[in-house]
């Protein structure tokens, strides 16, 4: 029997009775929404992620709706499992490319999503590094005029660097000439990482 159907049958047996429950009886155990989705259909998180990205990069979608799709995308990748699915779903490439989009609000959302995906997630940190997100984020943090965009770029960089040495090394290497730092920055040293971010924030 299909595991989902087996789960549904078990739930039905556990929660069916001809006898009225005692007043102090525990409430029925709710059925996992994921089980219902698997049985009765409906888009999975992976489907929703792909649909959101398709809307974001479509030339037929208004900016307002692109931003709604981006907001949905960001909420989905708050789950570490969904963040780790960015690679098998082929979504890291368009996400990093959006860091260079001509529309500032899309750059802001892309930076926000990178920051969400890599936060406390070494697998995603490694992917962001490999896909070239760090130089793009450093450039945004240093050059953007809009402070909201800069703030998201700095957030993404901070999340990417923390406790992941290869990303910290790459970020330090990508600093503009006037902000270069001599010596080694330890990714596990939060004060040192914050110092790099502060140099970019102050542009000095």
């Amino acid at each position: 029997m299909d595991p989902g159907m087996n789960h549904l049958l078990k739930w039905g047996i556990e929660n069916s009775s001809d006898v009225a429950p005692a007043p102090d009886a525990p409430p029925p155990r709710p059925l996992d929404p994921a089980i219902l989705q698997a049985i009765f259909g409906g888009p999975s998180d992976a489907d929703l992620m792909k649909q959101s990205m398709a809307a974001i990069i479509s030339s037929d979608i208004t900016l307002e709706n692109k931003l709604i799709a981006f907001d949905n995308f960001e909420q989905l990748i708050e789950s570490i499992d969904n963040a780790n699915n960015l690679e098998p779903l082929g979504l890291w490439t368009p996400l990093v490319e959006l860091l260079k989009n001509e529309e500032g609000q899309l750059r802001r959302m892309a930076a926000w999503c990178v920051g969400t995906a890599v936060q406390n997630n070494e697998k995603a940190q490694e992917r962001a590094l490999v896909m070239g997100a760090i130089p793009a984020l450093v450039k945004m943090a240093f050059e953007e005029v809009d402070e909201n965009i800069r703030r998201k770029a700095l957030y993404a960089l901070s999340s990417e660097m923390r406790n992941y040495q290869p990303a910290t090394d790459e970020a330090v290497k990508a600093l503009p000439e006037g902000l270069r730092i001599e010596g080694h920055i330890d990714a596990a040293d939060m004060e040192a990482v914050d110092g790099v971010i502060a140099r970019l924030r102050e542009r000095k």
Side-chain angles (χ1 to χ4, degrees), residues 1 3-19 28-32 35-36 39-40:
M1 180 184 290
M5 291 300 295
N6 186 53
H7 212 86
L8 182 61
L9 178 60
K10 182 179 178 184
W11 180 87
I13 292 170
E14 290 175 353
N15 292 280
S16 63
S17 173
D18 294 332
V19 180
R29 182 169 57 89
L31 185 60
D32 186 346
I35 299 295
L36 289 173
I39 295 169
F40 297 111

Side-chain angles (χ1 to χ4, degrees), residues 163-189:
N163 295 308
Y164 187 56
Q165 195 62 51
T168 296
D169 294 342
E170 180 67 16
V172 170
K173 186 172 71 173
L175 290 173
E177 187 171 342
L179 302 183
R180 295 281 166 81
I181 296 173
E182 297 296 330
H184 175 74
I185 299 295
D186 184 352
D189 183 340

Side-chain angles (χ1 to χ4, degrees), residues 8-143:
L8 182 61
L9 178 60
K10 182 179 178 184
W11 180 87
I13 292 170
E14 290 175 353
N15 292 280
S16 63
S17 173
D18 294 332
V19 180
D24 58 348
R29 182 169 57 89
L31 185 60
D32 186 346
I35 299 295
L36 289 173
Q37 180 176 286
I39 295 169
F40 297 111
S44 65
D45 281 1
D47 292 331
L48 293 171
M49 289 165 65
K50 290 188 291 185
Q51 290 168 12
S52 295
M53 184 56 72
I56 293 163
I57 63 177
S58 171
S59 59
D60 299 323
I61 304 294
T62 64
L63 176 60
E64 180 182 5
N65 286 327
K66 286 174 185 280
L67 294 175
I68 292 171
F70 235 146
D71 188 60
N72 292 337
F73 187 82
E74 193 276 333
Q75 291 181 53
L76 284 163
I77 61 173
E78 287 176 358
S79 158
I80 193 168
D81 290 335
N82 287 342
N84 288 338
N85 271 338
L86 288 170
E87 179 186 8
L89 294 175
L91 297 176
W92 268 114
T93 295
L95 180 58
V96 171
E97 287 176 353
L98 283 159
L99 293 171
K100 306 167 189 174
N101 193 275
E102 62 182 13
E103 171 52 56
Q105 293 307 307
L106 295 182
R107 295 196 302 275
R108 176 181 64 83
M109 290 300 297
W112 188 6
C113 287
V114 171
T116 297
V118 303
Q119 195 167 44
N120 301 314
N121 184 348
E122 186 171 332
K123 182 176 180 180
Q125 287 173 301
E126 185 270 338
R127 283 293 88 199
L129 172 66
V130 170
M131 298 305 297
I134 293 174
L137 289 168
V138 170
K139 181 179 174 67
M140 289 173 67
F142 186 68
E143 297 182 2

